[in-house]
Amino acid sequence: MRALADVLIIFKRGDFVNGWSFLFRWAHVVVGIAWIGLLYYFNFVQVPAFAELDAGARNQAIDKLASRALWWFRWAAAATLGFGILLLLVQEKGSGGGSLLFDNDYWKGASGRSIATGMLLGITMFANVWLVIWPNQKKVIANARNVLAGGEADPAAAAAGRKAAMASRQNTIFSFTMLLFMVGTSHFFGAISTNDSGSHRAIYWAVTIVIWAVLELNCLGIIGGTGTGGTNWFYEDHKRAIGLGLGLVVVWYLLWVILF
Ligand code: HEM
């Protein structure tokens, strides 16, 4: 039988799989599930369902249901980022080997490159939640409550809803590749990679940054505006967004195995 103090072994181990790393990893995944689960609920369930409600019922649902879901959604996003950063801070090179964060070789290698790609997408998704989706949804909720209270509808509410919806669809599209690299960092990409040459890394980052920038600028309306056609075709239906998101997983996977 272990001594009572050993029950708290999670806080005593100082090696690579130290207890803090494990605790933050677990918490990160729990709140990450809450965030992305709600993202999928919004995209796959709520948006199609709300489209079938009449205006009165929709305003009620925005007031009572969507506002609550958005509270959990944005704070789960903040907690996911927070635990993700904590997890990064406590990662060690080896037993007592110092922080991975300041280890240049780590970031040049497969694991560092994998988590850097996942974090690029995850932090972009977090920014979309707090800087685009939530500020615009606040206008939608305020409008619904005002109308329910007998006030005039805000003509700007529909445009605000559209901006939030585009960013939300883009987050769904990014989410699949983001999770590929989150999970792949410790469980896949390190084991399959045999080449870390500088020129291949440069190609990898150039292609990654272009894909990321084009998609993000598009969801902000900077490339294709806020209409429904052209490059926004993928945002019009959640099945199209899932298709593009899974397609990107294949693109990034092939990019990785061809280069590394
Ligand atoms: C928002 C920005 C995010 C940051 C900065 C971040 C950071 C990290 C870090 C540093 C790791 C450890 C990688 C390793 O060495 O194994 C990790 C793993 C992971 N993250 Fe994230 N993450 C973010 C978003 C997300 C989101 C939204 C999810 C959704 C569920 C998520 C799920 C995971 C999972 C499942 C793992 C792998 C756990 C494991 O293999 O044991 N992360 N993340």
Side-chain angles (χ1 to χ4, degrees), residues 71-85:
W71 189 92
W72 286 98
F73 175 70
R74 67 182 183 279
W75 290 111
T80 306
L81 177 66
F83 282 121
I85 289 170

Side-chain angles (χ1 to χ4, degrees), residues 107-181:
W107 295 107
K108 284 184 187 166
S111 297
R113 197 165 50 239
S114 169
I115 198 60
T117 314
M119 280 167 44
L120 172 73
L121 300 178
I123 292 170
T124 305
M125 291 168 61
F126 169 83
N128 283 340
V129 169
W130 278 93
L131 302 177
V132 184
I133 298 172
W134 176 231
N136 282 296
Q137 284 293 355
K138 269 201 274 195
K139 294 180 194 161
V140 173
I141 295 169
N143 175 60
R145 287 181 175 158
N146 186 39
V147 171
L148 287 171
E152 280 287 302
D154 174 4
R162 173 70 185 158
K163 282 186 200 156
M166 285 172 60
S168 183
R169 278 283 142 85
Q170 187 53 54
N171 274 8
T172 303
I173 293 165
F174 277 146
S175 69
F176 303 108
T177 307
M178 182 274 299
L179 268 172
L180 175 80
F181 286 112

Side-chain angles (χ1 to χ4, degrees), residues 99-247:
S99 171
L100 270 186
L101 194 60
F102 307 108
D103 181 8
N104 220 3
D105 288 341
Y106 173 72
W107 295 107
K108 284 184 187 166
S111 297
R113 197 165 50 239
S114 169
I115 198 60
T117 314
M119 280 167 44
L120 172 73
L121 300 178
I123 292 170
T124 305
M125 291 168 61
F126 169 83
N128 283 340
V129 169
W130 278 93
L131 302 177
V132 184
I133 298 172
W134 176 231
N136 282 296
Q137 284 293 355
K138 269 201 274 195
K139 294 180 194 161
V140 173
I141 295 169
N143 175 60
R145 287 181 175 158
N146 186 39
V147 171
L148 287 171
E152 280 287 302
D154 174 4
R162 173 70 185 158
K163 282 186 200 156
M166 285 172 60
S168 183
R169 278 283 142 85
Q170 187 53 54
N171 274 8
T172 303
I173 293 165
F174 277 146
S175 69
F176 303 108
T177 307
M178 182 274 299
L179 268 172
L180 175 80
F181 286 112
M182 287 292 156
V183 176
T185 296
S186 288
H187 304 286
F188 189 61
F189 289 113
I192 64 156
S193 305
T194 53
N195 174 359
D196 280 328
S197 87
S199 59
H200 286 201
R201 276 188 280 127
I203 296 169
Y204 175 79
W205 281 115
V207 177
T208 294
I209 296 294
V210 168
I211 300 174
W212 162 77
V214 166
L215 290 171
E216 181 60 17
L217 291 174
N218 193 53
C219 87
L220 297 176
I222 294 169
I223 291 180
T226 53
T228 55
T231 51
N232 293 344
W233 183 84
F234 287 106
Y235 302 142
E236 295 324 303
D237 183 298
H238 60 280
K239 294 184 195 110
R240 293 180 196 169
I242 294 172
L244 177 59
L246 294 178

